[in-house]
Amino acid sequence: MLQANKLAVMSGRNWGVNPKLTRLWYKTVAERKICYAASTWAENLNTKKIAQLSSIQRLFTLRITRAYRTAPSSALLILSGLPPLHLTVKKEAIITNVTRLGKNDKFGSTHFNTIEYDTQISQWTEPPWSKPSTTLENHLPSSNITIYTDGSKINNQMGSAFVAYKTEKEIFNWQGKLNNKNSVYQAELLAIFKALQWAKQNDFSKISIKTDSMSSIQAIRKFFNKNHLVQKIRNIIQELRTKQISIEWIKAHTGIMGNERADFLAKDATTNPDSFLESLPTPKSYIRYHLKKLFEQQWQEEWDTATTGRRTHNFLPKVSHKMATNLLITYFVTGHGPFPNYLNRFGITENDLCLCGESGTPDHYLFSCPMTDFNHEEKPPSTLYKEWAIQAAKNKIIKEKKL
């Protein structure tokens, strides 16, 4: 709260720290500090804790949106593109429990069991400071065999493949299909592992592996990488210590025959019934992906059922991580702004009348006030107002000059 209060004296509605920078500061500093050790205190968030988190977040969303301080908290979250803090805290707690503490957790009816997810090796099969016995070359000028590997994801289906060439003639290929929860990174590593396995079985003395996955090469060369699949690759390289092996990066989709062929096979593996079904643990990155969807659904439900911010809901019914940057639009969609109707509501003026004599609501200035007739919008029927509001926000027809 102290940090938010300091922001309040550093900026106003029309001066001071840029709202985008304020939002960035909140996401990268304040939110991180609040979520620290969430797994120890956020397991059962009661109403009181949720209210406390909401009050803290409100201080920041007011600075980000530059809205009037009476604006509803639920609307401020939508305009600032920030999910409710209690959901963010709960998400971080689940991620920590499952990926770091090895504890099962759940959100609603969705269970997250640690046994389903990829874990790091518990001990080294070689000292982490030592290199594989076989030196990995960056490039072999000549080799017995050249193998191209690739991984691909199409329509949420994951495929992995390699193709082997000898004197520019294809002599073997392999295709594998992974679970749709697996990652392209895993598919790329699997293709390299299968290629090395095949090369070992056929006793080639010089093996050149070419891949367009730089992250895979870096992982294999990184001594402290504890990924199971990476460790398997390093182990098989050790077993081939009498051979010459190179793992070389090549640029994808540049017309290299072997790379294009491996890419085709990896994509084909996603639908080819003859592809080998490969079982790999779900990567931890999937937890974040899955939780993001679950918590966005929860945020949407809370936004739809909230008792405040209904005017804003008319314009922005769907939750989004996009931030509204136009201050006048913030005034208009919240209804909390320099409008006679609003000022009278809070006892600032004696009446709610516009200079033209009618009630000074936000819609009045957009549709009917004679003082702004040069920028009027055609007023929709009351039964179609909500549809108009959604379309107006979507098409951005409410512009600053019209307010």
Side-chain angles (χ1 to χ4, degrees):
M1 284 191 178
L2 179 61
Q3 294 169 334
N5 290 331
K6 286 182 178 180
L7 278 175
V9 300
M10 292 170 59
S11 60
R13 290 193 180 90
N14 299 304
W15 61 274
V17 180
N18 187 302
K20 290 183 179 180
L21 293 179
T22 303
R23 185 179 186 274
L24 178 64
W25 185 87
Y26 168 79
K27 291 290 293 181
T28 57
V29 179
E31 189 177 89
R32 293 297 88 206
K33 292 181 70 174
I34 294 169
C35 290
Y36 180 75
S39 59
T40 63
W41 58 268
E43 185 173 354
N44 295 306
L45 289 176
N46 55 33
T47 304
K48 183 178 179 180
K49 286 183 179 179
I50 292 175
Q52 289 175 334
L53 291 171
S54 178
S55 65
I56 294 172
Q57 189 176 30
R58 178 179 173 81
L59 295 174
F60 290 97
T61 54
L62 281 171
R63 306 323 308 172
I64 293 169
T65 60
R66 299 174 294 171
Y68 276 35
R69 63 182 181 180
T70 55
S73 295
S74 56
L76 293 177
L77 294 176
I78 297 298
L79 292 169
S80 59
L82 296 173
L85 187 54
H86 70 273
L87 293 181
T88 302
V89 166
K90 181 60 177 175
K91 180 177 73 173
E92 291 300 318
I94 293 175
I95 290 172
T96 301
N97 282 335
V98 178
T99 64
R100 296 187 179 183
L101 303 181
K103 295 168 58 178
N104 296 335
D105 210 332
K106 68 175 183 176
F107 177 72
S109 60
T110 304
H111 292 261
F112 296 89
N113 299 317
T114 56
I115 194 172
E116 298 176 3
Y117 295 93
D118 195 8
T119 56
Q120 296 182 339
I121 57 173
S122 57
Q123 61 182 2
W124 296 97
T125 56
E126 58 171 320
W129 55 84
S130 68
K131 294 183 179 181
S133 300
T134 300
T135 301
L136 279 178
E137 304 289 347
N138 290 322
H139 176 69
L140 286 178
S142 62
S143 59
N144 298 121
I145 198 76
T146 301
I147 306 174
Y148 294 87
T149 67
D150 204 2
S152 182
K153 184 175 185 178
I154 298 180
N155 298 326
N156 208 33
Q157 301 295 315
M158 195 70 62
S160 179
F162 76 80
V163 57
Y165 288 87
K166 188 173 184 179
T167 60
E168 299 186 356
K169 181 180 179 181
E170 181 178 333
I171 60 172
F172 186 80
N173 67 64
W174 170 89
Q175 293 175 282
K177 183 177 181 180
L178 287 71
N179 190 295
N180 59 6
K181 294 181 180 180
N182 291 127
S183 64
V184 175
Y185 173 66
Q186 286 181 305
E188 297 276 8
L189 285 174
L190 179 64
I192 294 173
F193 174 68
K194 291 293 184 179
L196 286 169
Q197 267 193 331
W198 177 80
K200 177 187 173 184
Q201 292 169 358
N202 289 273
D203 198 29
F204 294 107
S205 59
K206 292 184 178 181
I207 306 159
S208 177
I209 295 178
K210 300 181 186 293
T211 175
D212 57 20
S213 173
M214 180 60 76
S215 59
S216 298
I217 296 176
Q218 291 174 338
I220 295 167
R221 292 182 179 276
K222 186 178 180 181
F223 301 147
F224 291 93
N225 193 303
K226 293 185 178 182
N227 181 284
H228 273 99
L229 202 49
V230 171
Q231 194 60 33
K232 284 184 177 181
I233 292 172
R234 290 171 62 83
N235 288 342
I236 201 169
I237 290 173
Q238 279 188 302
E239 294 170 9
L240 294 170
R241 55 185 172 271
T242 60
K243 316 295 183 182
Q244 282 186 285
I245 302 174
S246 74
I247 299 182
E248 179 182 350
W249 179 81
I250 55 174
K251 191 173 182 179
H253 309 299
T254 55
I256 299 174
M257 181 178 65
N259 178 252
E260 297 295 338
R261 174 66 172 155
D263 179 65
F264 168 79
L265 291 172
K267 291 176 179 177
D268 180 67
T270 62
T271 56
N272 191 335
D274 295 328
S275 299
F276 291 94
L277 296 178
E278 298 293 333
S279 178
L280 293 178
T282 303
K284 292 180 180 179
S285 59
Y286 181 80
I287 300 178
R288 291 186 179 275
Y289 169 78
H290 191 37
L291 281 175
K292 182 181 178 181
K293 283 193 169 184
L294 289 175
F295 280 88
E296 283 189 353
Q297 291 173 4
Q298 179 64 29
W299 182 16
Q300 182 67 59
E301 183 179 333
E302 292 184 7
W303 177 228
D304 290 339
T305 57
T307 56
T308 59
R310 295 303 83 192
R311 176 178 172 83
T312 306
H313 189 276
N314 286 337
F315 290 91
L316 302 168
K318 300 296 182 182
V319 299
S320 170
H321 293 275
K322 294 182 180 179
M323 171 186 167
T325 57
N326 189 307
L327 179 58
L328 296 180
I329 288 182
T330 296
Y331 291 159
F332 183 83
V333 299
T334 60
H336 291 240
F339 309 110
N341 175 270
Y342 168 83
L343 298 175
N344 176 254
R345 175 182 165 193
F346 287 92
I348 300 173
T349 60
E350 295 182 356
N351 59 64
D352 67 346
L353 298 180
C354 170
L355 291 177
C356 70
E358 295 185 24
S359 180
T361 64
D363 288 356
H364 166 70
Y365 293 101
L366 187 64
F367 296 130
S368 59
C369 181
M371 301 179 67
T372 58
D373 60 354
F374 53 90
N375 269 326
H376 280 174
E377 285 287 333
E378 183 179 351
K379 186 175 182 178
S382 58
T383 55
L384 298 177
Y385 183 86
K386 190 169 184 178
E387 288 76 6
W388 171 86
I390 295 172
Q391 196 63 36
K394 185 181 296 185
N395 295 338
K396 299 181 180 179
I397 64 172
I398 302 175
K399 299 180 181 178
E400 180 176 344
K401 66 177 183 178
K402 296 182 179 179
L403 301 177

